[in-house]
């Protein structure tokens, strides 16, 4: 193993000149650790750099393969019948209609509940609350809730909404469960947005005689709206993809109709995808891929909206 | 109303409005406490009925889980073993790759590439878990079967692999933040002593960012434990104690999902058993999250 070979593989040789050796390293000991191990250190650097790059490329490759294979399998099934037919035992007739409608019902209701609860709680904690024992309890429970697995929210929904309030396996029970699930996400995002509103705006409003609520309603909230909206959109994207809590509520049933009121039973996109993916036949797997394309398309729209909002908002900020 | 009154006084209506709004907002904030208490109440309440019939020690230390068929056994260890096998397997892949991505995005990627790379990787976190479940059974399991023909249709390894992909962005983004928080002076000091870039990163920056890195690992572990749909689809429903990742296992979350998908009547012991398993799951994830918060608080160094 000669120095020349290594230098050609790793890069231009950067050997210390004699004069540098004389000035930088005085003792024999230090010179040995720098000069003798120079090659080993260079190889090590090369390996580590490539490994780090490799890790990133692996993740990107997996993402590309995932999206590509889903498109490849699902696109042939993405015909107009797919959107107008109900689920069926026969893969050629099966469609996604009840799942799409169910998800739209769920999404709309969840949006209303989650925004009301989440933004109100964030406004209270960030703008109006003092520092007391109850406030610290609220903060602690938000931090706890943010880490609770989604299936546990499903058990909560089963116990409270389905059984205790007697809502049954209805759209409203599902939407309330999903609202509680995304509430911590919205609270945390909305508080960040409120925090970034400069204090000068509040001081200006107070100086003109506005009360606390007037200040928040007329000045702080409008200034924080783009940030809050970004958080809400991302939280909704999460809610639309959740299957586990809905399965806990008992939503995994054959639903061949579109919900017409909030008390109707329902199915949703991720549940229907689960249903198809769990069957052994390959044709149903391709149907699942088609459903995944619809679901991912929806999530892409959500995320693009969030990115656009974020970039516009960021540009306006002084 | 004269102008002097408008400045000095606040009308009764306005006072009432301020108080009402404050109370309404306070109530909304209180919902999070009520949700937490509700979760604990539901889990504990049903578990108490369960533990009236099954001794706690039999549950925690029992090695056989057969809740649906006679003779019934309620030993939770096979489920815990399934959960741990899957999530530890996921971490084996996710930790080095996630940390590598964080180092790359924080230290190596530059310019526009760095700006697009993070959002692209965060797409991985936004993909619903049922999609990963589909990916595991249609793509990863067949791939594993060509590598190792004895792989069963449902196996822990494919679940581990997709969960590793799912938690990658969690690890990468938290590690990235804590690497960026290390001040430049620390790096410059190391460069001045003649260290190479990789040496600065691995001997100076990463040890300094250790608290954030550990916290991200624990959070990823907690997410892996609570993951449901991918595990249910990919790992199967055979509760057993094994260290072989190529056979089917049942995780705690998949048991809960399996029972709730069947028609199990309210009030039966099978119904109550999912709440006992859920309580255990809740306590495990809670412990992990508290631990990661504790690590961040206790070991985080403030650089000014």
């Amino acid at each position: 193993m000669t120095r020349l070979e290594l230098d050609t593989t790793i890069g231009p040789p950067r050997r210390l000149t004699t004069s540098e050796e004389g000035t930088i390293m005085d003792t024999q000991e230090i010179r040995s650790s720098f000069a003798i191990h120079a090659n080993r250190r260079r190889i090590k650097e090369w390996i580590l750099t490539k490994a780090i790059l490799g890790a990133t490329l692996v993740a990107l490759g997996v993402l590309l393969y995932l999206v590509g294979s889903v498109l490849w399998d699902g696109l042939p099934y993405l015909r107009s019948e797919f959107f107008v037919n109900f689920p069926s035992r026969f893969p050629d007739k099966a469609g996604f209609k009840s799942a799409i409608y169910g998800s739209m019902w769920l999404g709309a209701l969840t949006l209303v509940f989650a925004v009301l609860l989440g933004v109100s709680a964030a406004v209270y904690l960030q703008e109006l609350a003092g520092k007391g024992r109850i406030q610290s309890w609220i903060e602690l429970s938000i931090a706890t809730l943010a880490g609770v697995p989604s299936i546990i929210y499903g058990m909560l929904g089963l116990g409270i909404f389905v059984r205790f309030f007697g809502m049954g396996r209805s759209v409203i029970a599902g939407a309330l469960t999903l609202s509680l699930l995304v509430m911590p996400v919205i609270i945390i995002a909305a508080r960040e947005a409120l925090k970034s509103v400069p204090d000068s705006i509040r001081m200006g409003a107070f100086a003109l005689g506005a009360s606390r609520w007037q200040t928040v309603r007329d000045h702080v909230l409008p200034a924080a709206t783009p940030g809050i909206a970004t958080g809400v959109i991302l939280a909704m994207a999460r809610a639309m993809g959740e299957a586990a809590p809905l399965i806990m509520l008992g939503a995994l049933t054959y639903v061949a109709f579109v919900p017409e009121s909030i008390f109707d039973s329902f199915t949703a996109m991720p549940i229907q995808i689960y249903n198809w993916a769990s069957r052994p036949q390959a044709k149903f797997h391709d149907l699942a891929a088609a459903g995944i394309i619809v679901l991912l398309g929806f999530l892409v729209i959500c995320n693009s909206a969030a990115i656009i909002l974020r970039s516009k908002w960021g540009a306006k900020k002084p | 109303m004269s102008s002097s009154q408008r400045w000095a006084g606040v009308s009764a209506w306005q006072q009432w409005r301020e108080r009402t709004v404050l109370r309404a907002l306070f109530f909304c904030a209180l919902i999070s406490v009520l949700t937490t208490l509700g979760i604990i109440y539901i889990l504990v309440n049903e578990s108490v009925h369960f533990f009236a019939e099954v001794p706690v020690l039999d549950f925690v230390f029992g090695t056989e889980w057969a809740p649906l068929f006679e003779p019934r056994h309620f030993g939770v260890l096979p489920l815990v073993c399934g959960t741990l096998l899957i999530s530890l397997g996921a971490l084996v892949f996710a930790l080095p790759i996630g940390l590598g991505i964080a180092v790359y995005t924080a230290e190596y990627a530059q310019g526009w590439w760095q700006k697009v790379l993070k959002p692209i990787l965060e797409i991985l976190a936004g993909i619903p878990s049922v999609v990963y479940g589909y990916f595991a059974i249609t793509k990863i399991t067949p791939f594993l079967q060509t590598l190792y023909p004895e792989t069963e249709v449902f196996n822990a390894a494919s679940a581990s692999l997709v969960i590793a992909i799912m938690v990658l962005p969690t690890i990468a983004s938290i590690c990235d933040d804590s690497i960026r928080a290390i001040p430049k002076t620390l790096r410059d000091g190391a460069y001045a002593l003649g260290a190479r870039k990789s040496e600065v990163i691995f001997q100076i920056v990463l040890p300094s960012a250790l608290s954030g890195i550990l916290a991200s690992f624990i959070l990823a572990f907690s997410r892996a434990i609570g993951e449901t749909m991918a595990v249910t689809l990919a790992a199967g429903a055979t509760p057993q104690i094994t260290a072989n990742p190529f056979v089917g296992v049942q995780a705690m979350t998949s048991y809960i999902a399996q029972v709730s998908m069947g028609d199990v009547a309210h009030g039966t012991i099978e119904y109550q058993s999912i709440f006992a398993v859920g309580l255990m799951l809740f306590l495990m994830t809670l412990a992990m999250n508290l631990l990661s918060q504790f690590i961040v608080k206790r070991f985080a160094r403030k650089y000014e």
Side-chain angles (χ1 to χ4, degrees):
Chain A
M1 179 160 104
T2 66
R3 156 163 240 139
L4 196 72
E5 274 172 16
L6 287 167
D7 282 344
T8 52
T9 52
I10 290 151
R14 292 213 319 234
R15 224 187 137 175
L16 294 174
T17 62
T18 330
S19 62
E20 276 177 319
E21 278 175 1
T23 52
I24 299 173
M25 305 156 196
D26 284 325
T27 65
Q28 185 64 34
E29 204 181 1
I30 293 175
R31 188 172 76 187
S32 67
S33 83
F34 271 156
I36 294 177
H37 294 306
N39 287 321
R40 203 192 294 167
R41 290 170 61 206
R42 206 170 298 179
I43 300 170
K44 223 171 148 186
E45 163 125 351
W46 187 84
I47 293 173
L48 287 173
T49 313
K50 292 293 175 254
I52 287 162
L53 180 65
T56 313
L57 292 180
V58 162
L60 288 177
V62 165
L63 178 63
L64 265 182
Y65 177 64
L66 207 165
V67 174
S69 68
V70 165
L71 284 176
W72 181 258
D73 291 342
L75 274 182
Y77 278 83
L78 218 57
R79 299 153 308 184
S80 58
E81 299 100 79
F82 186 72
F83 295 97
V84 295
N85 284 7
F86 289 111
S88 162
R89 277 183 297 130
F90 308 104
D92 291 324
K93 286 187 190 167
F96 212 40
K97 185 178 180 185
S98 50
I100 295 175
Y101 275 79
S103 274
M104 278 159 62
W105 272 88
L106 273 181
L109 288 172
T110 306
L111 184 66
V112 174
F113 296 134
V115 168
L116 266 180
L117 286 179
V119 177
S120 307
V123 166
Y124 175 77
L125 288 173
Q126 196 63 35
E127 300 289 330
L128 305 173
K131 288 223 182 302
R133 183 174 292 171
I134 299 180
Q135 279 75 26
S136 66
W137 276 106
I138 295 174
E139 306 246 358
L140 181 70
S141 34
I142 292 171
T144 310
L145 286 177
V148 171
S150 60
I151 193 165
I152 303 250
Y153 281 96
M155 305 177 92
L156 175 76
L158 182 66
I160 301 278
F161 301 125
V162 175
R163 295 217 184 277
F164 184 74
F165 287 119
M167 292 174 184
R169 298 166 170 189
S170 60
V171 178
I172 182 94
L176 286 170
T177 308
L178 289 182
S179 307
L180 294 183
L181 172 71
V182 296
M183 187 180 63
V185 185
I186 293 185
I187 293 179
I188 292 167
R191 287 188 71 175
E192 283 302 317
L194 291 170
K195 221 184 268 177
S196 72
V197 175
D199 254 354
S200 54
I201 288 184
R202 293 183 190 91
M203 297 308 163
F206 287 141
L208 292 174
S211 68
R212 286 165 90 193
W213 169 236
Q214 283 170 330
T215 307
V216 170
R217 183 190 62 192
D218 297 336
H219 302 284
V220 180
L221 264 184
T225 299
I228 295 176
T230 310
V232 167
I233 293 171
L234 292 180
M236 287 309 296
R238 192 182 157 202
M240 299 301 281
E242 279 291 350
L246 300 179
I247 280 183
M248 284 310 300
L249 299 183
L252 188 79
T253 43
Y254 173 71
V255 177
F257 55 84
V258 171
E260 307 210 318
S261 85
I262 54 173
F263 298 108
D264 283 353
S265 61
F266 67 102
T267 185
M269 290 197 271
I271 296 177
Q272 192 58 49
I273 292 168
Y274 172 81
N275 187 342
W276 282 332
S278 61
R279 298 184 189 208
Q281 298 98 323
K283 271 198 166 178
F284 279 113
H285 288 172
D286 294 344
L287 273 175
I292 288 171
I293 295 175
V294 177
L295 179 60
L296 287 187
F298 178 80
L299 298 186
V300 165
I301 294 172
C302 278
N303 282 290
S304 325
I307 289 171
I308 291 170
L309 261 177
R310 198 187 288 169
S311 64
K312 280 206 165 172
W313 182 42
K316 263 188 205 163
K317 241 171 142 186
Chain B
M1 193 188 279
S2 74
S3 66
S4 66
Q5 272 175 320
R6 197 160 77 213
W7 287 109
V10 177
S11 68
W13 147 247
Q14 214 174 29
Q15 279 180 345
W16 180 85
R17 190 181 63 185
E18 289 286 316
R19 268 204 313 272
T20 315
V21 165
L22 190 65
R23 276 184 201 150
L25 294 181
F26 172 71
F27 179 73
C28 288
L30 207 59
I31 297 251
S32 61
V33 178
L34 294 180
T35 309
T36 313
L37 293 179
I39 287 175
I40 294 169
Y41 171 76
I42 294 278
L43 293 178
V44 169
N45 186 35
E46 297 281 352
S47 300
V48 165
H49 294 301
F50 176 78
F51 288 124
E53 297 200 27
V54 178
V56 178
L57 286 180
D58 286 8
F59 177 73
V60 176
F61 295 109
T63 56
E64 197 176 344
W65 183 260
L68 304 178
F69 307 103
E70 299 286 346
R72 292 164 196 257
H73 293 280
F74 290 99
V76 82
L77 282 184
L79 297 183
V80 173
C81 169
T83 295
L84 290 182
L85 178 65
I86 293 169
S87 35
L88 291 178
L91 289 188
V92 167
F93 293 99
L95 298 191
I97 297 182
L99 188 56
I101 292 173
V103 170
Y104 184 77
T105 53
E107 301 277 344
Y108 285 95
Q110 281 168 352
W112 66 273
W113 175 232
Q114 185 185 29
K115 279 200 187 111
V116 291
L117 194 58
K118 273 191 103 173
I120 290 178
L121 289 171
E122 271 161 21
I123 295 175
L124 284 173
I127 294 177
S129 74
V130 66
V131 177
Y132 283 106
Y134 161 85
F135 193 54
I137 50 174
T138 60
K139 298 292 177 301
I140 293 185
T141 300
F143 172 68
L144 290 174
Q145 280 170 332
T146 57
L147 284 186
Y148 181 72
E150 266 97 277
T151 308
E152 293 179 7
V153 175
F154 296 111
N155 60 80
S158 63
S160 292
L161 284 174
V162 285
I163 289 179
I165 304 168
M166 280 176 89
V167 298
L168 268 186
T170 309
I171 298 177
S173 112
I174 299 176
C175 289
D176 179 274
D177 289 344
S178 47
I179 288 173
R180 279 168 207 269
I182 304 303
K184 191 162 175 294
T185 49
L186 232 68
R187 294 160 216 255
D188 288 348
Y191 281 127
L193 290 173
R196 284 178 167 278
K197 185 165 186 179
S198 66
E199 290 164 345
V200 173
I201 292 167
F202 283 91
Q203 293 169 24
I204 307 293
V205 175
L206 291 188
S208 315
L210 196 63
S211 70
I213 294 171
L214 280 181
S216 82
F217 289 177
I218 294 167
L219 270 185
F221 187 50
S222 147
R223 276 198 61 190
I225 291 176
E227 173 42 45
T228 307
M229 299 318 293
V231 173
T232 311
L233 273 170
T238 34
Q240 57 175 320
I241 298 182
T242 173
N244 179 3
F246 297 104
V247 298
V249 293
Q250 187 166 41
M252 293 155 76
T253 49
S254 3
Y255 172 69
I256 299 174
Q258 182 204 3
V259 169
S260 67
M261 277 184 264
D263 263 331
V264 171
H266 175 62
T268 57
I269 187 124
E270 296 98 307
Y271 180 81
Q272 287 154 359
S273 72
I274 65 174
F275 289 89
V277 175
L279 181 64
M280 191 140 180
L281 182 68
F282 177 72
L283 293 178
M284 279 167 83
T285 52
L286 185 67
M288 291 293 153
N289 292 329
L290 291 179
L291 183 64
S292 87
Q293 282 171 26
F294 171 77
I295 287 178
V296 168
K297 268 195 193 144
R298 172 72 180 73
F299 297 105
R301 301 182 201 171
K302 284 269 174 275
Y303 299 101
E304 289 301 334

